[in-house]
Amino acid sequence: MQNPTTPAYRIPEPLARVLGRLPRYPGSLLFVTGLNLVLARHLHPDTLHMLEGRSLRIHVADADLRFDYTWRNGAFRAARHTQAEPDLTFRADAWDFHCLLQRQEDPDTLFFSRRLVIEGDTELGLMVKNTLDSIDMAVFRPKAVLRDVALALRQRLVARARPIADGAGIARGR
């Protein structure tokens, strides 16, 4: 039987050393792209208002990866928290984050067993945790993700084609 305080899987140390040397910003850009495509549309406006301008970090401890981001002007944005600590950091091993997303583990259980560490603004942390608890995790299933990506791409294509279709491009001499 597995000890409940140790994850079922850990990123191997040699791989973690390599991952930990990667620059943070490109990874954060990829991370927020995923958040914007999959998660942002499911967040309540009050939650987004509370997130506005706040600095956040996801720290995957066993991979030594950090994803720094913020919510600003209607979207998640990659951030560089180089001089000050972010307002809120969630730190856990990759396996524990996986278990949280799959609802195989309760955040409180991971927190009290010290497998999930929340640092920074306590009120913000509780709000983010409760918000994530309230979201139907089906939005993270591959089929739902692909549907959301296809919808976002279609909306962008329509938005780009609209000025040409309504004559605005011709009127401006394009």
Side-chain angles (χ1 to χ4, degrees):
M1 184 174 179
Q2 183 179 344
N3 181 343
T5 61
T6 57
Y9 176 80
R10 286 189 53 86
I11 302 293
E13 188 67 32
L15 179 58
R17 281 194 301 271
V18 171
L19 292 173
R21 290 189 177 128
L22 293 174
R24 290 184 191 173
Y25 192 72
S28 295
L29 280 172
L30 289 172
F31 184 74
V32 299
T33 299
L35 289 177
N36 285 322
L37 286 172
V38 179
L39 184 63
R41 74 180 76 238
H42 301 286
L43 298 177
H44 192 275
D46 290 342
T47 299
L48 298 175
H49 178 74
M50 289 183 69
L51 287 175
E52 184 70 34
R54 304 300 299 269
S55 58
L56 305 153
R57 174 178 287 157
I58 298 292
H59 180 182
V60 184
D62 61 340
D64 198 22
L65 288 173
R66 289 171 182 81
F67 303 105
D68 295 333
Y69 60 104
T70 187
W71 177 267
R72 194 172 53 249
N73 301 324
F76 286 105
R77 314 267 182 204
R80 291 185 171 106
H81 305 316
T82 54
Q83 296 176 345
E85 286 298 309
D87 296 320
L88 182 65
T89 299
F90 285 91
R91 183 177 68 234
D93 287 342
W95 180 256
D96 294 323
F97 281 123
H98 168 78
C99 290
L100 282 171
L101 284 173
Q102 297 297 315
R103 301 281 168 126
Q104 296 170 353
E105 288 280 359
D106 177 65
D108 294 327
T109 301
L110 290 175
F111 178 79
F112 289 114
S113 66
R114 297 187 176 148
R115 290 170 49 197
L116 172 64
V117 176
I118 304 171
E119 299 171 316
D121 184 325
T122 306
E123 183 181 348
L124 181 62
L126 189 58
M127 186 269 304
V128 169
K129 181 194 102 42
N130 290 339
T131 297
L132 293 174
D133 281 346
S134 70
I135 293 175
D136 179 8
M137 288 296 132
V139 301
F140 295 109
R141 292 194 180 124
K143 194 176 206 177
V145 169
L146 290 173
R147 182 191 65 236
D148 287 348
V149 168
L151 179 63
L153 289 173
R154 181 182 305 139
Q155 289 171 342
R156 284 186 182 181
L157 289 173
V158 167
R160 286 185 179 164
R162 191 170 292 131
I164 294 169
D166 68 11
I170 296 168
R172 292 187 189 117
R174 290 185 192 164

